[in-house]
Amino acid sequence: MDRPAQVIARPTDRAVAYNPGTATDSLHLRAARVLADNWTGASTVPSRGLYPHQWSWDSAFIAIGLRHLSPLRAQTELETLLAAQWGDGRVPHIVFNPSVPLDAYFPSPDFWRSSTAGRAAGAPRTVQTSGIVQPPVHALAAWLVHRADPGLSRARGFLSTVYPRLAAWHRYLLHRRDLGGGSLASVVHPWEQGMDNSPCWDAPLARVTPAPARSFRRADLDHGAPEDRPTDLDYGRYVRLATDYRDRGYDDGPNSLAGPDAFAVEDPAFNALLIASEHALARIARELGATGTARHARAERLTAALVERLWDPARGMFLCRDVIGGGLIGERGVSGLVPLLLPTLPRDIATTLVRSLSGPHFGLGSLTRLVPSYDLRGEAFDPHRYWRGPAWFNTGWLLERGLRQHGERGRADALRRALLRTADASGFAEYVDPYTGEACGTASFSWTAALALDLLHDQPSWDKGGRTDEDTATALKGGDRG
């Protein structure tokens, strides 16, 4: 995500706009208030003062927490995002609020020019969006939201409404973004992966000629310390990639791999979330009357491709693959641990990931409170610099679920407690110092509050209905509506 960083105080006197239920836990109520304050009427901004639009994977994580407060609002959150989907299936990473001034955020709608530059790709005409995407958490979120209140979901036709859009989203990623030819989706910009300033991008970014500094204005430096933000050189490269993608009409064809400034990377977390959402989409298909077997089978094939292309046994984790330059990128980022959430991951690989998570490079349970975003021993590690070391709550939430998925209940419980304590103590910070828990970025951050709510409900699995994903993947037989 391209976001400025600042720790800010949020108003505390606004009324909660919906009923948070009967829970009296103060953390629950404070988290509910954050989500109430950041609600715009149709969606939730990440933080009202600094991030005034709707972000794609934020909304998925926010909906996962909102389902415990208002299943209707959680459904609306996803419906609003998916209403901005492009004709080619992509779900844009930002849906812009037209009431927000253009200079409040960069890159603004007049930079992306979605309705004109994206016309050939089917960009919507009635709403302005960015032209890039973010990790596909949405089908997983939709399934969890449905399970929170199946009666309401069925009465509103929630799943039947979102399923075709989610299926089109997955088709786009599986077909238009298989730029490496190995069945995995590629990202064409670091912002797409969500962990945009990770050292994992340094090598492929080094090929990109930065846009001239005079051609854009960095709004993020008005709010955050420059030493905690991407460098001017990196930011110029981000702008160059986005500009080139826009100027070729957001085309993902062969031209996307041509030229000296090309960027295409297969990322383990992005693809792991696609696989997890493919399993969830199979469950949605089953709820709508099909069996979902074909989708489960596809998820298993993608898991095999993930292992074949991105697993590095020597480092004990998954790595990014540079599609343009060829070969794996030898940096340890938290992205390489996220595949732990996959239900059919080979047991030996899951065991190795747990060992790496608690080992000297990430130190969970010994050196660090929460999982750092980058290798503690890496040359680029910085505990405060955006995605180059700080701990984030969404990756912690995913890893807590992954640990639980693979029988590591004690480690999962410890991580859950640490996430809740740190969310509370930090004022629901955007991210924190992994050693101390010191708040960084913006306060009252929506996905931190939402995922804290989800952890408070202490679900032993993602599905209260009984079976685990692995049970379903192996038990269902028959066709699939696709």
Side-chain angles (χ1 to χ4, degrees):
M1 281 167 277
D2 171 43
R3 293 173 171 161
Q6 180 187 18
V7 177
I8 59 173
R10 295 295 301 134
T12 58
D13 57 351
R14 295 181 60 177
V16 175
Y18 55 93
N19 181 6
T22 59
T24 58
D25 182 88
S26 59
L27 176 58
H28 179 110
L29 294 175
R30 287 194 295 275
R33 185 175 293 278
V34 168
L35 295 178
D37 287 348
N38 291 341
W39 174 246
T40 68
S43 64
T44 309
V45 297
S47 177
R48 186 173 290 275
L50 294 179
Y51 311 142
H53 304 290
Q54 183 179 25
W55 265 261
S56 172
W57 75 327
D58 289 70
S59 278
F61 288 121
I62 289 165
I64 288 169
L66 275 177
R67 67 195 174 116
H68 301 295
L69 303 174
S70 169
L72 177 59
R73 256 189 60 188
Q75 293 176 28
T76 302
E77 184 81 36
L78 294 173
E79 290 165 347
T80 300
L81 176 68
L82 292 173
Q85 185 174 31
W86 289 29
D88 64 3
R90 82 182 72 195
V91 176
H93 98 295
I94 301 175
V95 181
F96 290 105
N97 182 342
S99 67
V100 173
L102 288 178
D103 62 359
Y105 182 80
F106 178 83
S108 53
D110 58 341
F111 172 87
W112 296 104
R113 306 172 199 165
S114 61
S115 59
T116 53
R119 184 179 296 123
R125 297 182 179 182
T126 58
V127 63
Q128 294 294 312
T129 76
S130 65
I132 60 175
V133 303
Q134 276 190 325
V137 200
H138 310 89
L140 173 59
W143 176 249
L144 295 178
V145 167
H146 165 77
R147 292 298 306 154
D149 191 339
L152 175 68
S153 174
R154 291 168 186 145
R156 295 186 68 249
F158 170 64
L159 292 183
S160 61
T161 298
V162 301
Y163 180 83
R165 292 184 176 274
L166 293 169
W169 171 217
H170 285 208
R171 281 196 300 273
Y172 167 79
L173 293 174
L174 292 168
H175 298 292
R176 300 291 295 276
R177 287 299 191 88
D178 181 12
L179 302 179
S183 300
L184 299 182
S186 292
V187 297
V188 299
H189 196 293
W191 291 341
E192 291 198 312
Q193 195 268 353
M195 305 175 194
D196 41 274
N197 195 35
S198 170
C200 297
W201 312 126
D202 289 354
L205 273 177
R207 294 190 302 265
V208 178
T209 304
R214 64 183 180 276
S215 67
F216 61 91
R217 179 182 177 275
R218 290 190 62 177
D220 61 323
L221 297 184
D222 293 340
H223 305 287
E227 61 269 21
D228 290 348
R229 301 294 301 158
T231 65
D232 288 343
L233 181 62
D234 283 339
Y235 210 91
R237 287 169 169 148
Y238 300 155
V239 174
R240 166 70 67 187
L241 286 173
T243 301
D244 289 352
Y245 193 39
R246 178 199 68 199
D247 290 350
R248 67 172 186 264
Y250 299 110
D251 178 26
D252 298 307
N255 288 339
S256 63
L257 301 179
D261 295 327
F263 181 98
V265 174
E266 294 172 353
D267 173 78
F270 192 99
N271 281 280
L273 291 170
L274 175 59
I275 294 166
S277 278
E278 191 69 15
H279 279 302
L281 206 55
R283 289 181 159 209
I284 294 172
R286 186 180 182 217
E287 168 69 20
L288 295 175
T291 64
T293 303
R295 288 201 176 276
H296 280 305
R298 184 179 299 123
E300 291 179 7
R301 290 195 300 273
L302 289 170
T303 301
L306 185 73
V307 171
E308 179 183 354
R309 291 183 65 80
L310 304 186
W311 176 248
D312 185 334
R315 288 180 173 82
M317 62 187 302
F318 291 88
L319 301 179
C320 295
R321 177 176 291 277
D322 183 356
V323 173
I324 305 297
L328 296 175
I329 300 169
E331 297 282 3
R332 292 179 171 91
V334 70
S335 171
L337 301 173
V338 170
L340 188 63
L341 65 89
L342 298 178
T344 60
L345 197 67
R347 186 176 299 277
D348 61 324
I349 289 180
T351 300
T352 302
L353 284 176
V354 173
R355 188 180 306 123
S356 296
L357 180 61
S358 57
H361 294 283
F362 292 91
L364 185 64
S366 57
L367 301 174
T368 58
R369 291 190 183 190
L370 298 181
V371 186
S373 50
Y374 176 64
D375 183 357
L376 298 173
R377 296 185 172 186
E379 292 185 6
F381 175 80
D382 185 324
H384 288 179
R385 200 174 186 97
Y386 221 59
W387 289 109
R388 299 177 87 85
W392 293 70
F393 290 87
N394 64 331
T395 53
W397 182 88
L398 291 167
L399 290 169
E400 193 271 350
R401 293 321 196 241
L403 288 167
R404 207 172 293 282
Q405 177 81 258
H406 291 281
E408 295 285 343
R409 181 174 179 177
R411 295 179 191 270
D413 287 346
L415 179 53
R416 172 185 173 273
R417 290 191 296 269
L419 285 163
L420 288 171
R421 284 196 301 266
T422 308
D424 192 14
S426 70
F428 303 103
E430 183 181 3
Y431 54 98
V432 298
D433 183 307
Y435 292 119
T436 67
E438 176 190 348
C440 303
T442 182
S444 298
F445 197 67
S446 288
W447 81 25
T448 304
L451 297 177
L453 283 169
D454 193 62
L455 292 168
L456 277 173
H457 284 256
D458 196 22
Q459 298 178 90
S461 73
W462 277 336
D463 179 15
K464 291 182 179 179
R467 296 204 221 190
T468 66
D469 284 331
E470 188 170 8
D471 293 333
T472 307
T474 56
L476 296 178
K477 304 293 181 184
D480 180 17
R481 301 211 274 199

